[in-house]
Amino acid sequence: MTRDAGLDRLTAFLAGAGTNYAAARNTDRGPHVGPTTSALSPYLRRRLITEAEVVSAADNAFGDGGAEKFVSEVFWRTYFKGHLETHPAVWTDYLARAAAGRERIAAEPGLRRTYETAVEGQTGIDGFDDWARELVGTGWLHNHARMWFASIWIFTLRLPWALGADFFMRHLLDGDPASNTLSWRWVAGLHTRGKHYVARAENIRRYTDGRFDPAGLNEYPDPLDEAMPPREVGLPSADTASQGDVVLLLHLDDLHPESWPLSGARVVRVGGLLAHASGASDRVRAADAAAMADALERAGTHFGCEAGMATGDWSGDRPTVTAWAPVGPSADALPADCLRIRRAWDEVTWPLSTRGFTRVRKAIPHLLPD
């Protein structure tokens, strides 16, 4: 999990699946066939590569609107982050619901059996079981398969949505607090209230090229409901990097410090902070560690200073600067006295992300980097 690997993946996508992305992206051909999507999300999730350079590369490759659908999907990730920043109660509610779900599993034998057969891929539902095993075995699922899986989990198996989101976060190599939590809520009908996503056998059959044909799905469920929608809060203001000597603190939400807006500060030391999702699999932890090691090596070379994991009093009395960590484990783990700087990409997009995606989608032509 390195920046160079992400750039190689971007090059391969632009030369391959990217040329037919809009038409083929919904088709899941299985783990042993080349992806119909970009498969860039593990690198974007950690910002080993940035959204700005990815959309610029796509525009340069395809031009004249040829990258429109792909660029829109990149902005969905930014939209989700901005929405969670302005609705942080969604995250704390998810954590509380996941904890309550685990307590229910321990106390209710029937629910426990259903949960265990689901995560072990033993339900007997064609496709669903394959996706459960693929997720655990590879750390990856096609986006369309994620939607089918979540819908079957919620509406056919009638399992708590937060336990499904937790299962994904523990195993996905691109597990992102905002995208994962809000996508599960969207499928359930909680993000856009009353609008849910329903997995249908015909759709699964069509977009898996006939590999799967599940029977017994609940294809006419009502959306889930909640007593009160999450409250919107103002977008917190970012800081400005200090002039003079500073130390940088890297975290898993932004591992490209070479492009941070540092305003002329002189970096004299770089430290790393690993904050994994709760219960993250060994595969996810190893990917996180490899990404951090790559970023620290690049940062040390770029800034010409010492770079290593932040332990003890590593910063001394110098100001600590870090990239803005969106709501999630990294934000929870950062020291309170950090100066938190924000990229222009987020600064212009997050204020448009307080409601549905439409405002962001309409603004995309004006948000693209020059």
Side-chain angles (χ1 to χ4, degrees):
M1 186 65 63
T2 65
R3 174 168 168 80
D4 283 347
L7 293 172
D8 288 345
R9 177 64 243 162
L10 175 60
T11 299
F13 168 68
L14 296 178
T19 60
N20 195 37
Y21 177 82
R25 58 178 290 274
N26 284 330
T27 301
D28 178 13
R29 296 172 180 154
H32 305 300
V33 182
T36 57
T37 60
S38 72
L40 290 169
S41 52
Y43 307 100
L44 287 169
R45 184 265 176 273
R46 298 170 177 85
R47 269 188 173 157
L48 288 165
I49 57 177
T50 70
E51 297 87 344
E53 64 184 324
V54 166
V55 300
S56 292
D59 275 339
N60 289 336
F62 305 126
D64 296 328
E68 182 177 358
K69 186 59 182 175
F70 173 68
V71 169
S72 177
E73 292 302 313
V74 174
F75 270 98
W76 265 103
R77 299 183 64 83
T78 307
Y79 159 75
F80 278 144
K81 288 181 183 294
H83 194 87
L84 199 60
E85 287 298 292
T86 53
H87 298 80
V90 170
W91 176 249
T92 53
D93 175 74
Y94 151 67
L95 295 176
R97 287 177 183 272
R102 288 189 288 270
E103 291 179 0
R104 286 188 59 195
I105 288 172
E108 301 176 27
L111 181 67
R112 181 166 62 252
R113 284 193 296 272
T114 302
Y115 174 81
E116 289 174 350
T117 59
V119 299
E120 293 168 5
Q122 300 294 331
T123 67
I125 299 175
D126 196 25
F128 182 93
D129 290 344
D130 301 81
W131 299 321
R133 293 191 291 267
E134 182 181 346
L135 172 61
V136 173
T138 69
W140 177 258
L141 279 181
H142 187 284
N143 184 63
H144 211 166
R146 299 184 196 200
M147 294 163 59
W148 293 322
F149 185 99
S151 181
I152 294 169
W153 178 285
I154 295 167
F155 298 121
T156 298
L157 298 176
R158 300 188 184 281
L159 286 165
W161 72 264
L163 286 180
D166 174 70
F167 179 49
F168 272 24
M169 276 299 293
R170 287 186 285 112
H171 291 285
L172 282 172
L173 288 173
D174 63 354
D176 174 85
S179 293
N180 186 63
T181 306
L182 294 173
S183 292
W184 273 83
R185 285 176 57 85
W186 179 79
V187 169
L190 299 173
H191 182 66
T192 303
R193 290 175 65 83
K195 182 177 181 180
H196 53 325
Y197 177 80
V198 180
R200 303 189 189 279
E202 188 281 329
N203 184 267
I204 293 171
R205 186 168 55 248
R206 175 184 176 189
Y207 286 106
T208 60
D209 288 340
R211 290 186 302 123
F212 303 125
D213 188 10
L217 302 186
N218 180 7
E219 298 193 6
Y220 300 96
D222 292 326
L224 301 188
D225 196 8
E226 56 189 9
M228 291 290 291
R231 184 173 63 90
E232 180 181 326
V233 301
L235 182 65
S237 299
D239 300 310
T240 301
S242 297
Q243 298 296 307
D245 291 354
V246 301
V247 296
L248 299 188
L249 182 59
L250 309 189
H251 55 73
L252 291 172
D253 285 279
D254 197 318
L255 293 176
H256 191 238
E258 302 96 313
S259 61
W260 289 5
L262 294 174
S263 305
R266 191 171 79 93
V267 178
V268 297
R269 194 173 189 183
V270 181
L273 174 68
L274 280 175
H276 310 284
S278 177
S281 70
D282 290 343
R283 186 187 305 275
V284 170
R285 290 174 179 270
D288 287 344
M292 179 62 74
D294 175 67
L296 287 170
E297 181 178 0
R298 283 185 285 104
T301 300
H302 181 77
F303 295 109
C305 66
E306 179 184 357
M309 295 304 295
T311 57
D313 185 25
W314 71 280
S315 62
D317 59 355
R318 292 158 298 201
T320 300
V321 177
T322 191
W324 189 274
V327 170
S330 292
D332 293 341
L334 285 175
D337 59 350
C338 284
L339 295 172
R340 306 178 189 214
I341 57 177
R342 196 148 59 211
R343 292 179 181 271
W345 180 273
D346 299 327
E347 197 71 40
V348 297
T349 307
W350 285 0
L352 304 176
S353 303
T354 56
R355 297 288 190 271
F357 181 67
T358 301
R359 287 181 69 201
V360 173
R361 179 178 54 78
K362 291 180 177 178
I364 286 175
H366 309 290
L367 298 174
L368 294 175
D370 295 330

